[in-house]
Amino acid sequence: MILSQEEKVQNRGLEMGPNRKDAYVSELMKFFPKGGSRNTQLVHRLLYAALIEARSCERFKLLSEQLEDQELAKFYRDLMVSEANHYTMFLNFARKYEDRDLVDQKWQDLLAYEAEIMQGFSKDATMHG
Ligand SMILES: [Fe+2]
């Protein structure tokens, strides 16, 4: 039987908390200028999504490597693989919709911006942001 994420949490005697607004995502999504063609907007959204997925992937990798609970470790390892696939899928989609060199330049610029905004964040625990 495949359990949902919520059922897995409940089986451990815990409750899912409400969705929280994610300051990292809000800050990140200020980078590209608003407006422009629908195509450009799509590429920018794909790059945001790719980066968020890539960071989730890294987080799940660390969690899966450090957990002693083998069931949880596998759960996070599986999530890591999913997130890695999402990351590369979004980045590759972006490269399909705009010139590859331009997309790669935007990607590098977004990474540099992300490094800047990370200086301003605390080390509070978050899962997907
Ligand atoms: Fe994902």
Side-chain angles (χ1 to χ4, degrees):
M1 184 175 73
I2 297 173
L3 297 177
S4 72
Q5 196 174 354
E6 188 162 9
E7 288 165 332
K8 283 178 193 282
V9 169
Q10 285 165 351
N11 281 354
R12 288 171 180 270
L14 302 168
E15 251 181 69
M16 299 280 273
N19 276 336
R20 288 176 299 181
K21 196 164 158 46
D22 193 311
Y24 166 78
V25 173
S26 307
E27 279 305 302
L28 192 68
M29 292 184 74
K30 291 177 183 168
F31 180 65
F32 292 119
K34 303 267 175 270
S37 70
R38 278 170 60 92
N39 199 71
T40 299
Q41 290 300 310
L42 173 64
V43 167
H44 294 169
R45 283 183 169 271
L46 286 166
L47 291 177
Y48 288 140
L51 186 48
I52 291 164
E53 298 292 333
R55 296 305 180 220
S56 298
C57 175
E58 291 171 347
R59 223 172 267 118
F60 291 141
K61 179 176 189 293
L62 290 173
L63 275 170
S64 70
E65 288 172 350
Q66 298 301 320
L67 283 165
E68 286 175 14
D69 179 327
Q70 287 310 301
E71 188 195 342
L72 265 189
K74 183 188 180 313
F75 176 71
Y76 283 115
R77 199 162 45 246
D78 290 347
L79 282 178
M80 174 196 79
V81 172
S82 296
E83 301 295 63
N85 287 331
H86 300 159
Y87 151 55
T88 52
M89 182 181 69
F90 287 140
L91 192 54
N92 286 330
F93 273 142
R95 287 169 173 157
K96 269 175 78 167
Y97 284 94
E98 211 166 48
D99 174 73
R100 187 184 172 129
D101 288 343
L102 180 59
V103 169
D104 288 350
Q105 187 57 55
K106 286 181 175 182
W107 177 248
Q108 291 306 318
D109 294 346
L110 181 61
L111 290 175
Y113 170 74
E114 184 210 28
E116 252 174 61
I117 63 173
M118 289 311 289
Q119 307 288 332
F121 282 115
S122 70
K123 293 188 168 61
D124 292 344
T126 60
M127 192 58 78
H128 203 275

